[in-house]
């Protein structure tokens, strides 16, 4: 598949190296050297993935990420030179999907890019197969299709990437949606934090199960009547979480 990758980096040499290597992998590469151009080009080209440096002239990488997150559901890998920034990224206030600390190896970057794009592909395949499933049953496309899962007053609509509670759409960050969808698809099954991390975030490094906990907490605040006493996303002690419906 011909993936479009946008690389945002103001260090010209690094930008050219990234462009060369990604192009060599067969990706269609777009580049930007500042935040303003990054936002503009992302809107125009709708990339499948963005490699985004944090320190940029003008609008910085954090701000670019924040702006684009509201508009596009595109995976973002952030590049950072400072360890203090890592906390901010990992806290995922930014909604970045992954990050690399400079200096990084090109091989590592390409592996992360590939892993994230693979995930995009899996989600698309999922949607396509569900649309095919739904087609036979529901010519109007108005009723509940195979792509929406319903649990009492909670509806998870994969096709629209929307979650409704008592028929009201609730605002979820992209990762919150993916996490909820993954849990719900495996209803009744205890899932370890590591598995969740791998399947939802696609990260290969350890030590960030905290990320899962934080997102579960946010989700509970949005979908549980009593977040302190969760009934939908249940904690399985010593393992992780289970979606009960
Ligand atoms: Ca920079």
């Amino acid at each position: 598949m011909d993936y479009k990758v946008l690389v945002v980096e103001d260090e010209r040499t690094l930008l050219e190296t990234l462009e060369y290597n990604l192009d060599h992998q067969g990706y269609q590469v777009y580049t930007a050297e500042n935040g303003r151009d990054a936002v503009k080009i992302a809107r125009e080209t709708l990339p499948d993935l963005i490699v985004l440096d944090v320190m940029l002239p003008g609008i910085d990488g954090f701000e670019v990420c924040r702006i684009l997150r509201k508009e596009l559901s595109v995976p973002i890998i952030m590049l950072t030179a400072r360890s203090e920034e890592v906390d901010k990224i990992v806290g995922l206030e930014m909604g970045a999907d992954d990050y690399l600390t400079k200096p990084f190896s090109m091989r590592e970057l390409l592996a992360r890019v590939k892993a994230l794009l693979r995930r995009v592909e899996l989600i698309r395949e999922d949607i396509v197969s569900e649309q095919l499933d739904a087609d036979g049953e529901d010519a109007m496309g108005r009723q509940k299709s195979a792509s929406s899962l319903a649990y009492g007053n909670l509806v998870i609509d994969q096709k629209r990437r929307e979650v409704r509670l008592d028929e009201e759409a609730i605002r979820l960050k992209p990762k919150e949606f993916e996490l909820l969808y993954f849990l719900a698809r495996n209803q009744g099954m205890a899932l370890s934090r590591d598995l969740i991390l791998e399947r939802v975030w696609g990260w290969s490094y350890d030590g960030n199960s905290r990320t899962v906990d934080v997102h579960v907490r946010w989700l509970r605040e949005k979908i549980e009547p009593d977040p302190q006493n969760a009934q939908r996303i249940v904690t399985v002690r010593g393992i992780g979480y289970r979606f009960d419906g």
Side-chain angles (χ1 to χ4, degrees):
M1 196 182 287
D2 203 10
Y3 287 112
K4 291 182 276 188
V5 178
L6 170 62
V7 184
V8 188
E9 172 60 75
D10 61 321
E11 291 161 49
R12 183 66 65 84
T13 317
L14 179 56
L15 180 67
E16 284 170 2
T17 310
L18 288 165
E19 184 180 15
Y20 173 82
N21 281 278
L22 289 163
D23 181 73
H24 197 68
Q25 295 295 309
Y27 303 124
Q28 196 177 334
V29 187
Y30 299 88
T31 60
E33 293 181 48
N34 60 64
R36 193 172 301 276
D37 287 352
V39 172
K40 185 166 167 278
I41 293 169
R43 283 174 179 157
E44 283 168 7
T45 61
L46 302 175
D48 298 293
L49 183 135
I50 301 175
V51 177
L52 178 62
D53 186 33
V54 171
M55 293 297 285
L56 294 168
I59 310 175
D60 71 9
F62 288 132
E63 190 55 27
V64 171
C65 190
R66 222 185 330 258
I67 293 169
L68 292 179
R69 266 283 164 259
K70 289 182 194 151
E71 304 174 15
L72 312 170
S73 76
V74 54
I76 298 176
I77 300 178
M78 300 202 82
L79 305 179
T80 174
R82 293 165 49 191
S83 53
E84 309 93 81
E85 290 167 349
V86 170
D87 276 354
K88 207 169 162 186
I89 300 171
V90 174
L92 293 176
E93 290 301 320
M94 294 299 121
D97 295 86
D98 204 348
Y99 73 92
L100 281 170
T101 312
K102 293 177 182 177
F104 52 84
S105 77
M106 203 48 63
R107 181 189 295 201
E108 182 64 20
L109 176 102
L110 294 173
R112 303 282 183 95
V113 166
K114 199 171 163 192
L116 276 176
L117 286 174
R118 175 70 189 139
R119 226 176 63 214
V120 170
E121 198 177 326
L122 287 175
I123 292 168
R124 281 180 191 162
E125 281 168 8
D126 236 15
I127 295 170
V128 169
S129 66
E130 281 168 359
Q131 281 170 343
L132 292 177
D133 288 348
D135 276 351
E137 301 174 13
D138 183 10
M140 293 299 289
R142 299 291 292 268
Q143 292 163 346
K144 195 176 79 172
S145 72
S147 70
S148 79
L149 309 168
Y151 309 91
N153 62 349
L154 177 73
V155 176
I156 304 167
D157 192 331
Q158 162 69 1
K159 210 185 284 183
R160 295 168 58 99
R161 280 187 79 86
E162 187 177 273
V163 172
R164 294 185 292 277
L165 194 63
D166 289 323
E167 299 185 355
E168 293 260 326
I170 55 175
R171 286 181 66 92
L172 294 185
K173 295 174 185 174
K175 274 291 166 287
E176 290 173 345
F177 181 88
E178 285 175 33
L179 172 61
L180 179 60
Y181 186 65
F182 177 66
L183 291 172
R185 294 262 291 192
N186 295 285
Q187 186 182 8
M189 211 185 286
L191 304 167
S192 73
R193 288 177 177 80
D194 284 348
L195 178 71
I196 295 169
L197 202 57
E198 186 192 313
R199 296 295 298 275
V200 177
W201 278 266
W203 290 353
S204 51
Y205 70 92
D206 49 23
N208 276 282
S209 53
R210 184 167 73 90
T211 300
V212 177
D213 296 335
V214 168
H215 279 76
V216 165
R217 197 172 72 229
W218 288 341
L219 270 178
R220 281 173 172 164
E221 281 163 9
K222 291 175 181 175
I223 66 167
E224 298 272 1
D226 177 7
Q228 299 304 316
N229 179 26
Q231 304 290 316
R232 299 200 125 120
I233 303 174
V234 178
T235 302
V236 183
R237 285 187 65 174
I239 299 183
Y241 298 99
R242 185 184 70 228
F243 184 81
D244 277 356

